Amino acid sequence: RESSRPDNLKTVYFIPSFRVIDSVTLTIDEYCGLLDLARRRVIELGGEPCLLLHQTRSDKAMVSRLCRLGFDPQTVVQADDPVEVKNLIAQSFGVVTSRLHGLYNALNAAVPPVVIPWSPKYKEALKLYSCESQLVDTEDAEASVIQAIDNVFCAVERVNIQRSCRSAAPRLEKASENMWAIVKRATL
C-alpha cells in the first residue's frame, strides 16, 4: 500500500536492506529469520510491525519473502519521498533498521531504534547518541535483537534512549555548524 500510517500508536517500522546480505554479514535466511523473530517479539509486546520501503527496487525482493514468513502485506508502506519517510519514522513507536538513513531519522526524532548492522558506521552512529545497546550483535543475533526490542518497549529503557537522543542533538548541531564554518572558510 502507498504510504499511509497504521492507526496503531505502537507502530514499529521495519526498514530492511539487501546490504546486510551483500556484505555477507548474514545470509538471506539468517537475516529474514532475524527480522521475523523481531516481528514476532514486537507483536508479543503489543506493537504493530510494518515494513517501510524507501529503496523499493533493491529491497522489494525481500518483501515477498518476509510476507511469507508472517509480515502482513497490507502493512507494507512504500514511501519514495525522503521527507515522507522521515515523518513516518518520527511518528512511530520504534524502528528495526538496517538502513543508515532510517537510523539517523529515528535518532534525530528520538524514536528508539533496533539496528541490524552490516557496516561499522552503525555502531559509530549509535555511539554519537549514546544508544549502543540498540545495536544487534550479529554473533549472538537472536538474543541481541530480543533485548534491543525489549528496550524499545520497556518504559524505563525507552525514556533513557529518548533522553540520550535528545541530549545529543545540541552537541551534534554545534559540531555540524563548526564543520560548515570550516568548509566555508576553506572555500572562500
Side-chain angles (χ1 to χ4, degrees):
R1 116 179 144 196
E2 294 297 315
S3 60
S4 62
R5 183 177 177 272
D7 294 330
N8 187 324
L9 294 177
K10 290 191 177 180
T11 299
V12 176
Y13 284 115
F14 283 67
I15 309 169
S17 174
F18 72 98
R19 297 298 313 229
V20 174
I21 299 152
D22 282 359
S23 68
V24 295
T25 301
L26 297 170
T27 67
I28 191 163
D29 289 335
E30 290 169 334
Y31 185 49
C32 289
L34 190 59
L35 290 172
D36 184 51
L37 175 65
R39 177 193 65 80
R40 288 183 278 127
R41 186 63 176 166
V42 164
I43 292 169
E44 286 173 12
L45 296 173
E48 181 178 347
C50 300
L51 285 169
L52 175 57
L53 302 178
H54 67 98
Q55 295 280 329
T56 54
R57 263 187 297 160
S58 55
D59 294 329
K60 229 174 192 166
M62 254 189 297
V63 172
S64 60
R65 187 179 194 125
L66 291 168
C67 288
R68 283 193 308 273
L69 287 171
F71 277 89
D72 182 355
Q74 296 300 312
T75 63
V76 175
V77 177
Q78 182 178 323
D80 295 318
D81 176 17
V83 174
E84 186 178 14
V85 171
K86 183 177 183 174
N87 289 336
L88 287 167
I89 290 170
Q91 296 169 18
S92 71
F93 188 78
V95 299
V96 177
T97 186
S98 296
R99 290 213 165 269
L100 202 56
H101 288 100
L103 172 58
Y104 276 115
N105 284 331
L107 292 169
N108 289 327
V111 171
V114 174
V115 181
I116 302 171
W118 59 268
S119 159
K121 294 183 282 189
Y122 294 89
K123 183 176 184 178
E124 293 305 313
L126 288 167
K127 193 174 182 181
L128 287 171
Y129 289 82
S130 301
C131 293
E132 297 97 319
S133 65
Q134 296 308 103
L135 183 72
V136 172
D137 176 3
T138 55
E139 297 299 315
D140 188 18
E142 290 184 3
S144 185
V145 79
I146 293 293
Q147 182 58 59
I149 288 170
D150 287 354
N151 291 345
V152 171
F153 282 86
C154 170
V156 172
E157 291 301 322
R158 181 177 182 75
V159 167
N160 288 339
I161 292 166
Q162 291 172 320
R163 191 174 294 137
S164 290
C165 290
R166 288 186 185 112
S167 68
R171 176 179 45 80
L172 294 172
E173 187 175 322
K174 183 67 176 163
S176 179
E177 288 171 6
N178 291 341
M179 177 201 66
W180 286 114
I182 291 167
V183 169
K184 186 176 180 181
R185 284 193 305 271
T187 58
L188 293 179

